[in-house]
Amino acid sequence: MPAHNLKHALFCAVVTLIIAFPILGFNLVASGTDIVLEGAKTQTMISVVLAAIVVFLFQLFRDHIMALLGKAPALNPLANREPMEQSKRLKLESTFLTLIIIGALIWPFFVSRGSVDLATLVLIYIMLALGLNVVVGLAGLLDLGYVAFYAVGAYTFALLSQYLGLSFWMALPIGALLAALFGLVLGFPVLRLRGDYLAIVTLGFGEIIRILLNNMTNLTGGPNGIGGIPDPTLFGMEFGRRVKEEGNTSFHETFGIAYSSEHKIIFLYLIALVLAVITALVIRRLMRMPVGRAWEALREDEIAARSLGLSRTGVKLSAFTIGAFFAGFAGTVFASKQGFISPESFVFLESAIILAIVVLGGMGSQIGVILAAIAVTVLPELAREFSEYRMLIFGAAMVLMMVWRPQGLMPMRRIHIELKSQE
Amino acid sequence: MSMLVLEDVHTHYGKIEALHGVSVEVNKGEIVSLIGANGAGKTTLLMTVCGSPQASSGRVILEGRDITRDPTSSIMRSGIAIVPEGRRVFSGLTVEENLHMGGFFNTKAEIRKSQEHVYELFPRLKEREHQRAGTMSGGEQQMLAIGRALMSKPSMIILDEPSLGLAPLVIKQIFEIIGQLREEGITVFLVEQNAHQALNLADRGYVLETGRIRLQDTGKNLLANPDVQNAYLGG
């Protein structure tokens, strides 16, 4: 009998009871105009006690169970596989990616409107996470205020369309460039800082932007937000039932098909898809260029990188600016998708979620980050039937993930750059 | 003809003065050793040459050009290379990638040439070409750090405590390589606590004590100096 675990196991069981009982053991029930506190059903009570017993037993025999689990990888057929050769792996990766992109292009025409809408959101998060991946994963700069650049992109489009009547396509580059400019301007003073200090300052910057948007009521509408943001057009064709702007035609009339509100959703999805693919490709390219290697060198060892003549501020600023640029991209698409934005959309939780995506996916790994973005956005939706417990499940999944696979879903595999000998 | 000259250099960390007017001269093609106890300011002196922190007064002159106020990045690109204390190789990168980082500002052809040269100097690195630097032994990492510094084809190389934490046999090997660098016409500025070997190898030496140059002479004379023997060579 593992007696030394007994005390610990008892403690864990009691903690389980203490946590579970108030949450599950009571119900607030509306009776007439009052709200009454009622005890839960006996069934729930029994489950709580059972759960405590399970925790107790698990903790008591933890050593045995963990030893058994330790043997589990032997059952995994992939565990002892030799790593694939680089050229082969790259080829496989690119075929795989091409297939996924083709699939993603056809897919929206066969599924429900809700799924396409959710997929658009996933793509926006993919763009954001890929951008933050440059800053956190590659350059190793902990940025907790990334959402600020997302907000800059979104508000740029909203304001430009409201005051100057600019279209989505005009606002897209402007939004991205303005976000990049914000990244550059913020970068200058703060990039001397390292680690925790940088994190705090970026956190502050994120809040400043949000609070500014909230309080500049005469420009941004404050907490009321900005509505009526136009949808993107396809070569001057609008997707609404009626044409809103003079000179434009409507999509369904031009092609002589029946009007369907799904067209607009699918079109937005496709725009987000194309932009996400562009984001991924551009960043992939940058990773292999000298600037990408400089980011990594600086992350690995700042003193060594500086001793080789790399300029610390230059390298960090480039990462910060490029990350912000893609956040601006994502922000513009987001504004167009929602049609309405307010400072509420750009709270700190968003920064935290994007950061969680990067960490869960595996710092620096693009495919990992994409998978994590899908998981983090789709899982809470799938878990809707668990209603009030879904955030609890989400949180638990994240904790488990970090305990068992701290390197992320797909840790970054570096691409080795070799010089071909010219003999 | 002097390669590097420090003229009455004062360096501060905040309000604390770490170097109180240091003057050092390194001639072309020489090996010059700087020895001193812990906290004497050896590393500070090197960092001042690299411009981080910059000297608060005095001048640092590299090949006749005043670099006192230049930013670190431009100093490190002007023909000077440093092997930092504690090796500081990029542990996640392979040996080859580490070397390529050393030639970051050179063309591919130049990189290829210097890489071959480094492999000639350190055949051990060639064997470990595709291994991650972090998985190598201390001695191999030190070789890599020196090799990486050589990749930029410097006319002068600064080594900060290259013998730190290495086995005696490996130290001997490293010092042989340093001697070989002189044959190739590279000026070497060597900072060491391992005074005996450093002075033995050096053409000239300086003794730094609490931020001041206490003695300067040829390597042989310093080795024979009773004060130096008492303080740094264990009597």
Short mmCIF file of all heavy atoms in Angstrom, two decimals, chain A residues 290-291 293-294 296-298 300-301 303-311 414-422, chain B residues 52 72-73 76-77 82 84 88-94 96-97 100-102 104-105 108 111-112 115 130 148:
data_model
loop_
_atom_site.label_atom_id
_atom_site.label_comp_id
_atom_site.label_asym_id
_atom_site.label_seq_id
_atom_site.Cartn_x
_atom_site.Cartn_y
_atom_site.Cartn_z
N PRO A 290 17.92 36.17 -44.50
CA PRO A 290 18.82 36.55 -43.40
C PRO A 290 18.09 37.16 -42.22
O PRO A 290 18.44 36.88 -41.07
CB PRO A 290 19.74 37.57 -44.07
CG PRO A 290 19.77 37.17 -45.49
CD PRO A 290 18.41 36.63 -45.80
N VAL A 291 17.04 37.95 -42.49
CA VAL A 291 16.36 38.60 -41.37
C VAL A 291 15.75 37.55 -40.43
O VAL A 291 15.78 37.69 -39.21
CB VAL A 291 15.30 39.62 -41.87
CG1 VAL A 291 14.18 38.93 -42.61
CG2 VAL A 291 14.75 40.41 -40.72
N ARG A 293 16.96 34.53 -39.88
CA ARG A 293 18.03 33.95 -39.09
C ARG A 293 18.49 34.92 -38.01
O ARG A 293 18.87 34.52 -36.91
CB ARG A 293 19.20 33.55 -40.00
CG ARG A 293 18.86 32.33 -40.84
CD ARG A 293 20.07 31.87 -41.60
NE ARG A 293 20.44 32.85 -42.62
CZ ARG A 293 21.68 33.21 -42.87
NH1 ARG A 293 22.66 32.71 -42.19
NH2 ARG A 293 21.92 34.09 -43.82
N ALA A 294 18.44 36.20 -38.33
CA ALA A 294 18.83 37.21 -37.33
C ALA A 294 17.86 37.18 -36.15
O ALA A 294 18.28 37.27 -35.00
CB ALA A 294 18.86 38.59 -37.96
N GLU A 296 16.19 34.63 -35.05
CA GLU A 296 16.47 33.45 -34.24
C GLU A 296 17.75 33.61 -33.44
O GLU A 296 17.83 33.20 -32.28
CB GLU A 296 16.57 32.22 -35.13
CG GLU A 296 15.22 31.68 -35.52
CD GLU A 296 15.37 30.36 -36.21
OE1 GLU A 296 15.78 29.41 -35.55
OE2 GLU A 296 15.11 30.29 -37.42
N ALA A 297 18.76 34.18 -34.08
CA ALA A 297 20.04 34.36 -33.39
C ALA A 297 19.84 35.25 -32.17
O ALA A 297 20.35 34.98 -31.09
CB ALA A 297 21.07 34.97 -34.33
N LEU A 298 19.07 36.31 -32.35
CA LEU A 298 18.85 37.24 -31.25
C LEU A 298 18.07 36.57 -30.12
O LEU A 298 18.32 36.82 -28.94
CB LEU A 298 18.09 38.46 -31.76
CG LEU A 298 18.33 39.71 -30.92
CD1 LEU A 298 19.72 40.22 -31.16
CD2 LEU A 298 17.31 40.77 -31.24
N GLU A 300 18.14 33.35 -29.45
CA GLU A 300 19.00 32.34 -28.82
C GLU A 300 20.00 32.97 -27.88
O GLU A 300 20.23 32.48 -26.79
CB GLU A 300 19.74 31.55 -29.90
CG GLU A 300 18.83 30.63 -30.67
CD GLU A 300 19.21 29.18 -30.44
OE1 GLU A 300 20.37 28.93 -30.08
OE2 GLU A 300 18.35 28.33 -30.64
N ASP A 301 20.66 34.01 -28.33
CA ASP A 301 21.68 34.63 -27.49
C ASP A 301 21.92 36.06 -27.95
O ASP A 301 22.54 36.29 -28.98
CB ASP A 301 22.98 33.84 -27.56
CG ASP A 301 23.92 34.22 -26.44
OD1 ASP A 301 24.02 35.43 -26.15
OD2 ASP A 301 24.54 33.32 -25.85
N ILE A 303 23.72 38.52 -26.64
CA ILE A 303 25.10 39.03 -26.62
C ILE A 303 25.89 38.49 -27.80
O ILE A 303 26.59 39.24 -28.49
CB ILE A 303 25.79 38.65 -25.29
CG1 ILE A 303 25.15 39.45 -24.16
CG2 ILE A 303 27.28 38.90 -25.35
CD1 ILE A 303 25.73 39.20 -22.81
N ALA A 304 25.71 37.18 -28.08
CA ALA A 304 26.44 36.61 -29.20
C ALA A 304 26.00 37.28 -30.51
O ALA A 304 26.83 37.61 -31.35
CB ALA A 304 26.18 35.11 -29.27
N ALA A 305 24.71 37.48 -30.67
CA ALA A 305 24.21 38.09 -31.89
C ALA A 305 24.79 39.49 -32.06
O ALA A 305 25.20 39.88 -33.15
CB ALA A 305 22.68 38.16 -31.87
N ARG A 306 24.87 40.23 -30.96
CA ARG A 306 25.42 41.59 -31.07
C ARG A 306 26.91 41.54 -31.35
O ARG A 306 27.45 42.40 -32.05
CB ARG A 306 25.17 42.36 -29.77
CG ARG A 306 23.70 42.67 -29.56
CD ARG A 306 23.50 43.43 -28.29
NE ARG A 306 24.08 44.75 -28.38
CZ ARG A 306 24.43 45.46 -27.31
NH1 ARG A 306 24.26 44.97 -26.12
NH2 ARG A 306 24.93 46.66 -27.47
N SER A 307 27.59 40.53 -30.81
CA SER A 307 29.03 40.45 -31.05
C SER A 307 29.34 40.17 -32.52
O SER A 307 30.45 40.37 -32.97
CB SER A 307 29.65 39.36 -30.17
OG SER A 307 29.52 38.10 -30.78
N LEU A 308 28.33 39.68 -33.26
CA LEU A 308 28.54 39.42 -34.68
C LEU A 308 28.16 40.63 -35.52
O LEU A 308 28.15 40.55 -36.74
CB LEU A 308 27.73 38.21 -35.11
CG LEU A 308 28.09 36.93 -34.36
CD1 LEU A 308 27.16 35.82 -34.74
CD2 LEU A 308 29.52 36.54 -34.64
N GLY A 309 27.81 41.72 -34.88
CA GLY A 309 27.53 42.94 -35.61
C GLY A 309 26.07 43.14 -35.97
O GLY A 309 25.73 44.03 -36.72
N LEU A 310 25.17 42.27 -35.43
CA LEU A 310 23.75 42.48 -35.67
C LEU A 310 23.29 43.64 -34.79
O LEU A 310 23.68 43.73 -33.63
CB LEU A 310 22.95 41.24 -35.30
CG LEU A 310 23.21 40.01 -36.15
CD1 LEU A 310 22.48 38.81 -35.58
CD2 LEU A 310 22.74 40.26 -37.56
N SER A 311 22.44 44.50 -35.36
CA SER A 311 21.95 45.61 -34.57
C SER A 311 20.71 45.16 -33.81
O SER A 311 19.72 44.75 -34.41
CB SER A 311 21.64 46.78 -35.48
OG SER A 311 20.55 47.49 -34.98
N ARG A 414 13.50 23.25 -37.45
CA ARG A 414 14.22 24.29 -38.18
C ARG A 414 14.56 23.79 -39.57
O ARG A 414 14.84 22.62 -39.79
CB ARG A 414 15.47 24.68 -37.43
CG ARG A 414 15.14 25.17 -36.02
CD ARG A 414 16.24 25.98 -35.42
NE ARG A 414 16.67 27.02 -36.32
CZ ARG A 414 17.66 26.89 -37.15
NH1 ARG A 414 18.34 25.80 -37.21
NH2 ARG A 414 17.98 27.87 -37.93
N ILE A 415 14.52 24.71 -40.51
CA ILE A 415 14.94 24.37 -41.86
C ILE A 415 16.43 24.66 -41.94
O ILE A 415 16.87 25.78 -41.71
CB ILE A 415 14.18 25.22 -42.88
CG1 ILE A 415 12.70 24.86 -42.81
CG2 ILE A 415 14.72 24.99 -44.27
CD1 ILE A 415 11.82 25.89 -43.41
N HIS A 416 17.19 23.62 -42.21
CA HIS A 416 18.63 23.84 -42.26
C HIS A 416 19.00 24.49 -43.58
O HIS A 416 18.57 24.05 -44.63
CB HIS A 416 19.37 22.51 -42.12
CG HIS A 416 19.01 21.82 -40.86
ND1 HIS A 416 19.16 22.43 -39.64
CD2 HIS A 416 18.47 20.61 -40.62
CE1 HIS A 416 18.73 21.59 -38.71
NE2 HIS A 416 18.30 20.49 -39.27
N ILE A 417 19.79 25.52 -43.46
CA ILE A 417 20.22 26.19 -44.68
C ILE A 417 21.62 25.71 -45.00
O ILE A 417 22.52 25.81 -44.18
CB ILE A 417 20.17 27.71 -44.51
CG1 ILE A 417 18.72 28.10 -44.27
CG2 ILE A 417 20.73 28.41 -45.71
CD1 ILE A 417 18.56 29.32 -43.45
N GLU A 418 21.76 25.13 -46.15
CA GLU A 418 23.08 24.62 -46.52
C GLU A 418 23.58 25.34 -47.75
O GLU A 418 22.82 25.67 -48.64
CB GLU A 418 23.00 23.12 -46.80
CG GLU A 418 22.87 22.31 -45.54
CD GLU A 418 22.39 20.90 -45.82
OE1 GLU A 418 22.71 20.39 -46.90
OE2 GLU A 418 21.70 20.34 -44.96
N LEU A 419 24.88 25.55 -47.78
CA LEU A 419 25.47 26.13 -48.97
C LEU A 419 25.80 24.99 -49.91
O LEU A 419 26.40 24.01 -49.51
CB LEU A 419 26.76 26.86 -48.60
CG LEU A 419 26.60 28.22 -47.94
CD1 LEU A 419 27.97 28.76 -47.62
CD2 LEU A 419 25.86 29.15 -48.84
N LYS A 420 25.39 25.12 -51.15
CA LYS A 420 25.75 24.06 -52.10
C LYS A 420 27.18 24.31 -52.55
O LYS A 420 27.53 25.41 -52.94
CB LYS A 420 24.80 24.11 -53.29
CG LYS A 420 23.36 24.09 -52.84
CD LYS A 420 22.51 23.21 -53.67
CE LYS A 420 21.17 22.96 -52.99
NZ LYS A 420 20.66 24.09 -52.20
N SER A 421 28.00 23.28 -52.48
CA SER A 421 29.38 23.46 -52.93
C SER A 421 29.39 23.47 -54.46
O SER A 421 28.70 22.70 -55.10
CB SER A 421 30.27 22.35 -52.38
OG SER A 421 29.63 21.11 -52.57
N GLN A 422 30.14 24.39 -55.01
CA GLN A 422 30.12 24.54 -56.47
C GLN A 422 31.34 23.88 -57.10
O GLN A 422 32.23 24.55 -57.61
CB GLN A 422 30.11 26.01 -56.84
CG GLN A 422 28.81 26.68 -56.47
CD GLN A 422 28.81 28.11 -56.88
OE1 GLN A 422 29.83 28.77 -56.87
NE2 GLN A 422 27.65 28.62 -57.24
N SER B 52 29.74 48.87 -25.70
CA SER B 52 28.57 48.56 -24.87
C SER B 52 29.03 48.12 -23.49
O SER B 52 29.33 46.97 -23.29
CB SER B 52 27.76 47.43 -25.52
OG SER B 52 26.81 46.94 -24.63
N THR B 72 27.58 49.69 -31.30
CA THR B 72 28.19 48.35 -31.26
C THR B 72 28.12 47.65 -32.61
O THR B 72 29.11 47.07 -33.06
CB THR B 72 27.46 47.49 -30.22
OG1 THR B 72 27.49 48.17 -28.98
CG2 THR B 72 28.12 46.14 -30.06
N SER B 73 26.94 47.73 -33.24
CA SER B 73 26.78 46.97 -34.47
C SER B 73 27.78 47.41 -35.55
O SER B 73 28.30 46.57 -36.28
CB SER B 73 25.35 47.09 -34.99
OG SER B 73 24.98 48.44 -35.08
N MET B 76 31.38 46.18 -34.62
CA MET B 76 31.59 44.75 -34.83
C MET B 76 31.66 44.39 -36.31
O MET B 76 32.03 43.28 -36.66
CB MET B 76 30.48 43.93 -34.17
CG MET B 76 30.34 44.09 -32.67
SD MET B 76 31.87 44.19 -31.76
CE MET B 76 32.57 42.59 -32.10
N ARG B 77 31.31 45.33 -37.17
CA ARG B 77 31.40 45.05 -38.60
C ARG B 77 32.65 45.65 -39.22
O ARG B 77 32.83 45.60 -40.43
CB ARG B 77 30.18 45.64 -39.33
CG ARG B 77 28.91 44.87 -39.05
CD ARG B 77 27.76 45.47 -39.82
NE ARG B 77 26.54 45.49 -39.00
CZ ARG B 77 25.43 46.09 -39.37
NH1 ARG B 77 25.37 46.71 -40.52
NH2 ARG B 77 24.38 46.06 -38.59
N ILE B 82 34.85 39.36 -31.72
CA ILE B 82 35.04 39.02 -30.31
C ILE B 82 34.49 37.62 -30.03
O ILE B 82 33.46 37.22 -30.58
CB ILE B 82 34.37 40.07 -29.38
CG1 ILE B 82 34.69 39.76 -27.92
CG2 ILE B 82 32.89 40.14 -29.61
CD1 ILE B 82 34.33 40.87 -26.97
N PRO B 84 33.00 35.97 -27.07
CA PRO B 84 32.55 36.44 -25.77
C PRO B 84 32.84 35.43 -24.65
O PRO B 84 33.02 34.24 -24.91
CB PRO B 84 31.05 36.65 -25.94
CG PRO B 84 30.68 35.91 -27.15
CD PRO B 84 31.89 35.72 -27.99
N ARG B 88 29.00 31.29 -25.57
CA ARG B 88 27.78 31.82 -26.17
C ARG B 88 27.57 31.42 -27.63
O ARG B 88 27.32 32.26 -28.49
CB ARG B 88 27.76 33.34 -26.05
CG ARG B 88 27.69 33.77 -24.61
CD ARG B 88 27.37 35.23 -24.48
NE ARG B 88 27.11 35.56 -23.11
CZ ARG B 88 25.91 35.48 -22.54
NH1 ARG B 88 24.88 35.11 -23.24
NH2 ARG B 88 25.76 35.78 -21.29
N VAL B 89 27.67 30.14 -27.90
CA VAL B 89 27.28 29.68 -29.23
C VAL B 89 25.76 29.62 -29.28
O VAL B 89 25.11 29.61 -28.24
CB VAL B 89 27.88 28.29 -29.55
CG1 VAL B 89 29.37 28.37 -29.63
CG2 VAL B 89 27.46 27.27 -28.51
N PHE B 90 25.18 29.60 -30.49
CA PHE B 90 23.73 29.47 -30.60
C PHE B 90 23.40 28.00 -30.45
O PHE B 90 23.56 27.21 -31.39
CB PHE B 90 23.25 29.99 -31.95
CG PHE B 90 23.58 31.44 -32.17
CD1 PHE B 90 24.46 31.82 -33.16
CD2 PHE B 90 23.02 32.42 -31.38
CE1 PHE B 90 24.77 33.15 -33.36
CE2 PHE B 90 23.32 33.75 -31.57
CZ PHE B 90 24.21 34.12 -32.57
N SER B 91 22.91 27.61 -29.28
CA SER B 91 22.85 26.19 -28.96
C SER B 91 21.82 25.44 -29.80
O SER B 91 21.97 24.25 -30.04
CB SER B 91 22.56 26.00 -27.47
OG SER B 91 21.43 26.74 -27.11
N GLY B 92 20.79 26.12 -30.27
CA GLY B 92 19.78 25.42 -31.06
C GLY B 92 20.17 25.27 -32.52
O GLY B 92 19.54 24.53 -33.27
N LEU B 93 21.19 25.98 -32.94
CA LEU B 93 21.61 25.94 -34.35
C LEU B 93 22.73 24.92 -34.51
O LEU B 93 23.46 24.63 -33.57
CB LEU B 93 22.11 27.32 -34.79
CG LEU B 93 21.08 28.31 -35.32
CD1 LEU B 93 19.99 28.57 -34.30
CD2 LEU B 93 21.75 29.63 -35.69
N THR B 94 22.85 24.39 -35.72
CA THR B 94 23.94 23.44 -35.96
C THR B 94 25.26 24.19 -36.05
O THR B 94 25.29 25.41 -36.13
CB THR B 94 23.73 22.67 -37.27
OG1 THR B 94 23.82 23.60 -38.33
CG2 THR B 94 22.39 21.97 -37.30
N GLU B 96 27.32 24.28 -38.50
CA GLU B 96 27.44 25.01 -39.75
C GLU B 96 26.65 26.32 -39.71
O GLU B 96 27.13 27.37 -40.14
CB GLU B 96 26.94 24.13 -40.90
CG GLU B 96 27.27 24.70 -42.26
CD GLU B 96 26.75 23.81 -43.37
OE1 GLU B 96 25.71 23.15 -43.18
OE2 GLU B 96 27.40 23.78 -44.43
N GLU B 97 25.44 26.25 -39.16
CA GLU B 97 24.61 27.46 -39.10
C GLU B 97 25.24 28.50 -38.18
O GLU B 97 25.16 29.70 -38.45
CB GLU B 97 23.21 27.11 -38.61
CG GLU B 97 22.40 26.38 -39.66
CD GLU B 97 21.17 25.72 -39.10
OE1 GLU B 97 21.13 25.45 -37.88
OE2 GLU B 97 20.25 25.46 -39.86
N HIS B 100 27.75 30.18 -40.19
CA HIS B 100 27.16 31.11 -41.16
C HIS B 100 26.69 32.40 -40.49
O HIS B 100 26.75 33.46 -41.09
CB HIS B 100 25.98 30.43 -41.87
CG HIS B 100 26.43 29.36 -42.81
ND1 HIS B 100 25.57 28.61 -43.55
CD2 HIS B 100 27.66 28.91 -43.10
CE1 HIS B 100 26.26 27.74 -44.27
NE2 HIS B 100 27.53 27.90 -44.01
N MET B 101 26.21 32.29 -39.25
CA MET B 101 25.83 33.51 -38.54
C MET B 101 27.05 34.41 -38.37
O MET B 101 26.94 35.63 -38.42
CB MET B 101 25.27 33.17 -37.15
CG MET B 101 23.86 32.66 -37.12
SD MET B 101 22.66 33.65 -37.99
CE MET B 101 22.84 35.22 -37.16
N GLY B 102 28.22 33.79 -38.18
CA GLY B 102 29.44 34.57 -38.03
C GLY B 102 29.76 35.38 -39.27
O GLY B 102 30.33 36.46 -39.21
N PHE B 104 27.55 36.71 -41.29
CA PHE B 104 26.23 37.25 -41.64
C PHE B 104 26.30 38.34 -42.71
O PHE B 104 25.45 38.43 -43.58
CB PHE B 104 25.56 37.80 -40.38
CG PHE B 104 24.10 38.07 -40.54
CD1 PHE B 104 23.18 37.06 -40.35
CD2 PHE B 104 23.63 39.33 -40.88
CE1 PHE B 104 21.83 37.29 -40.50
CE2 PHE B 104 22.28 39.57 -41.03
CZ PHE B 104 21.38 38.54 -40.83
N PHE B 105 27.34 39.19 -42.63
CA PHE B 105 27.38 40.33 -43.55
C PHE B 105 28.28 40.07 -44.75
O PHE B 105 28.60 40.98 -45.49
CB PHE B 105 27.82 41.59 -42.80
CG PHE B 105 26.84 41.96 -41.73
CD1 PHE B 105 27.07 41.61 -40.41
CD2 PHE B 105 25.69 42.63 -42.05
CE1 PHE B 105 26.16 41.93 -39.44
CE2 PHE B 105 24.76 42.96 -41.08
CZ PHE B 105 24.99 42.60 -39.77
N LYS B 108 28.02 34.88 -50.07
CA LYS B 108 28.03 33.42 -49.93
C LYS B 108 29.39 32.84 -50.27
O LYS B 108 29.86 31.90 -49.63
CB LYS B 108 26.97 32.81 -50.85
CG LYS B 108 25.60 32.92 -50.25
CD LYS B 108 24.60 32.03 -50.93
CE LYS B 108 23.30 32.01 -50.14
NZ LYS B 108 22.24 31.27 -50.81
N ILE B 111 31.68 33.32 -47.41
CA ILE B 111 31.32 32.42 -46.31
C ILE B 111 31.89 31.04 -46.58
O ILE B 111 32.47 30.40 -45.71
CB ILE B 111 29.79 32.35 -46.15
CG1 ILE B 111 29.27 33.66 -45.60
CG2 ILE B 111 29.40 31.20 -45.21
CD1 ILE B 111 27.76 33.70 -45.44
N ARG B 112 31.73 30.57 -47.83
CA ARG B 112 32.20 29.23 -48.17
C ARG B 112 33.69 29.12 -47.92
O ARG B 112 34.18 28.15 -47.37
CB ARG B 112 31.85 28.94 -49.63
CG ARG B 112 31.91 27.47 -49.98
CD ARG B 112 31.40 27.23 -51.38
NE ARG B 112 30.01 27.62 -51.53
CZ ARG B 112 29.56 28.47 -52.45
NH1 ARG B 112 30.39 29.04 -53.30
NH2 ARG B 112 28.28 28.75 -52.53
N GLN B 115 34.53 29.27 -44.23
CA GLN B 115 34.09 28.05 -43.57
C GLN B 115 35.11 26.94 -43.76
O GLN B 115 35.48 26.24 -42.81
CB GLN B 115 32.74 27.62 -44.16
CG GLN B 115 32.11 26.46 -43.43
CD GLN B 115 30.77 26.07 -44.04
OE1 GLN B 115 30.16 26.84 -44.78
NE2 GLN B 115 30.31 24.88 -43.74
N HIS B 130 26.80 18.99 -38.70
CA HIS B 130 25.33 19.07 -38.64
C HIS B 130 24.78 18.81 -37.26
O HIS B 130 23.59 18.58 -37.09
CB HIS B 130 24.71 18.12 -39.66
CG HIS B 130 25.09 18.47 -41.06
ND1 HIS B 130 24.70 19.64 -41.65
CD2 HIS B 130 25.87 17.84 -41.96
CE1 HIS B 130 25.21 19.72 -42.87
NE2 HIS B 130 25.93 18.63 -43.07
N ARG B 148 33.46 30.85 -35.29
CA ARG B 148 32.41 31.77 -35.68
C ARG B 148 32.95 33.19 -35.78
O ARG B 148 32.63 33.93 -36.70
CB ARG B 148 31.27 31.71 -34.66
CG ARG B 148 30.08 32.54 -35.01
CD ARG B 148 29.01 32.43 -33.97
NE ARG B 148 29.47 32.92 -32.68
CZ ARG B 148 28.77 32.80 -31.55
NH1 ARG B 148 27.61 32.20 -31.56
NH2 ARG B 148 29.24 33.27 -30.42
#
